[in-house]
Amino acid sequence: MTVSGSQYLLQVKNLKKHYASKSGFLSRVKPVVKAVDGIDLDIRKGEILGLVGESGCGKSTLGRSILRLIEPTSGNVVFEGRDILSCNREEMRLLRKEMQIIFQDSGAALNPRITIGEIIGAPLDIFGLAKEEEKERRIIELLELVGLNKDYVNRFPHEFSGGQKQRIGIARAIAVQPKLIVCDEPVSALDVSVRAQILNLMKKLKNQFELTYLFISHDLSVVHHLCDRIAVMYLGKIVEIADRDELYRNPSHPYTKTLLSAIPNLDPESKRERIVLEGDVPNPSSPPSGCHFHTRCPYRMERCSVDAPSLQRIGDHHSVSCHLFDDQH
Ligand code: ADP
Ligand code: MG
């Protein structure tokens, strides 16, 4: 599958990742968790696409499937015109240089027994990008790029704060000059003041190196200033996707409205009422029939428990998966 002259860096088509649930070992039929259940997503070169949804809705599984850190069940992931799911081991190894990931818990992702210099230098070794003095120089440059003192180069991860560890994780990710970075809740564990610093840093680096981000967050307020477009996910599916301003101005899926209404003071002019969701997040191994959201939806109609809606365009760069919009087309 090739895409010629595409403005897209990445195209995800009908991607699925189903896990055999561990809890089913006593029953004859193993329940399947449809963590990612038929996702279509395009990411343009140079954009920051936000991916938002409650914990457990499949965001990390989607991010890792895109990078093939876990093997998707089916679908296509087309990166620069190449379907990476059909790449062999060596092709995949080379592609790893183009696609990096930053984790929420960067502390746990850093080897505690090696120095910061070695951590940041490791990807340079793996891909043979720089050796000896050139490597030393590059490591110092990377430390400075992410706002860390170059004298830290011989220190160990435990000597750093959460925000500093995240800076190290970012330095390691950009060391190989990737094109795409999947940022999996990189600021969720940080204090609010540190969070803003890291977001600013990520934005600066994105502009400086023409990076493209898939930025995952469970919190719509975090992605507000950063992202160009935002996709909202619920139980393995995208329920709404729109340009950032359009999504905040005109949230259309009832789930998006709920997420937005939970953010205090996002827009002081807004008279938005707080909508409280009924019930808990359903068990993903037995999601509700029809529209997965119908059990918690304040606007549910009869057909919502029977027919699964699909994403439909409701405006420029704005699609929503909800039967409330069926009559409009
Ligand atoms: P999020 O990142 O949005 O919190 P995840 O992608 O981590 O969500 O998880 C989505 C669903 O898949 C959850 O129900 C989770 O329990 C399940 N899941 C994640 N990883 C595995 C796994 N390795 N085996 C079985 N189920 C998993
Ligand atoms: Mg996650």
Side-chain angles (χ1 to χ4, degrees):
M1 182 182 275
T2 55
V3 184
S4 53
S6 173
Q7 57 170 321
Y8 297 114
L9 184 66
L10 186 86
Q11 293 182 290
V12 173
K13 295 183 203 297
N14 201 15
L15 193 70
K16 296 185 182 175
K17 176 63 185 178
H18 296 175
Y19 294 109
S21 169
K22 291 181 190 104
S23 60
F25 73 100
L26 282 179
S27 62
R28 236 173 294 166
V29 186
K30 278 202 173 168
V32 169
V33 177
K34 297 180 176 177
V36 169
D37 197 24
I39 293 227
D40 293 301
L41 202 62
D42 297 328
I43 308 185
R44 297 185 201 114
K45 283 182 188 131
E47 86 168 335
I48 307 183
L49 177 67
L51 179 68
V52 178
E54 283 164 292
S55 177
C57 72
K59 305 180 297 297
S60 295
T61 302
L62 176 59
R64 286 170 168 78
S65 297
I66 285 173
L67 302 183
R68 219 174 156 190
L69 295 173
I70 50 180
E71 203 61 36
T73 307
S74 62
N76 301 103
V77 178
V78 180
F79 179 79
E80 293 197 308
R82 271 170 92 191
D83 190 347
I84 70 160
L85 300 186
S86 55
C87 287
N88 65 27
R89 220 175 224 281
E90 177 57 16
E91 289 167 335
M92 218 42 237
R93 197 186 74 80
L94 294 173
L95 267 174
R96 296 256 168 260
K97 185 179 138 348
E98 313 288 345
M99 305 188 291
Q100 292 286 308
I101 186 163
I102 302 170
F103 300 99
Q104 171 175 352
D105 188 356
S106 41
L110 302 176
N111 182 341
R113 284 176 291 274
I114 64 174
T115 66
I116 298 316
E118 289 168 316
I119 287 171
I120 299 174
L124 300 175
D125 289 333
I126 292 170
F127 294 104
L129 295 176
K131 274 196 274 193
E132 295 160 14
E133 277 129 58
E134 165 68 10
K135 186 171 121 185
E136 303 297 309
R137 195 188 56 72
R138 183 89 180 106
I139 291 169
I140 300 299
E141 187 183 75
L142 284 160
L143 282 174
E144 286 174 346
L145 270 172
V146 298
L148 290 172
N149 192 317
K150 63 178 169 21
D151 299 335
Y152 292 169
V153 69
N154 291 319
R155 296 199 189 171
F156 290 87
H158 69 88
E159 298 176 58
F160 293 92
S161 68
Q164 287 174 322
K165 282 180 189 156
Q166 204 50 280
R167 288 176 194 269
I168 297 164
I170 293 169
R172 183 175 57 176
I174 63 168
V176 295
Q177 299 177 299
K179 292 182 178 142
L180 173 72
I181 304 183
V182 171
C183 315
D184 192 353
E185 309 228 24
V187 298
S188 298
L190 302 177
D191 291 345
V192 174
S193 57
V194 183
R195 187 178 280 189
Q197 293 168 14
I198 298 295
L199 290 175
N200 286 341
L201 171 67
M202 294 185 68
K203 192 148 201 173
K204 183 195 89 170
L205 295 171
K206 185 237 142 192
N207 290 332
Q208 193 169 350
F209 298 108
E210 297 175 341
L211 300 166
T212 302
Y213 293 159
L214 175 65
F215 190 97
I216 298 175
S217 173
H218 63 270
D219 183 346
L220 263 174
S221 63
V222 167
V223 294
H224 184 231
H225 293 291
L226 189 72
C227 297
D228 302 303
R229 272 192 313 147
I230 294 167
V232 179
M233 209 173 156
Y234 189 76
L235 285 187
K237 292 182 188 291
I238 302 240
V239 297
E240 183 162 7
I241 182 162
D243 285 347
R244 185 258 317 264
D245 290 341
E246 167 71 6
L247 190 93
Y248 285 86
R249 224 180 295 131
N250 185 23
S252 298
H253 196 285
Y255 181 59
T256 313
K257 287 185 184 178
T258 316
L259 290 180
L260 274 176
S261 82
I263 304 174
N265 302 327
L266 184 66
D267 172 9
E269 303 286 300
S270 148
K271 306 222 167 33
R272 229 178 252 140
E273 267 179 57
R274 170 111 205 228
I275 312 167
V276 180
L277 279 183
E278 294 172 28
D280 293 328
V281 185
N283 181 346
S285 63
S286 54
S289 58
C291 171
H292 288 349
F293 188 60
H294 85 264
T295 50
R296 302 169 84 194
C297 182
Y299 308 99
R300 69 177 158 260
M301 303 173 289
E302 223 162 86
R303 65 174 302 199
C304 301
S305 59
V306 185
D307 297 336
S310 52
L311 270 178
Q312 53 185 322
R313 269 191 64 177
I314 59 164
D316 280 348
H317 310 294
H318 192 172
S319 298
V320 63
S321 175
C322 174
H323 291 309
L324 287 172
F325 296 87
D326 286 353
D327 304 338
Q328 302 185 5
H329 293 269

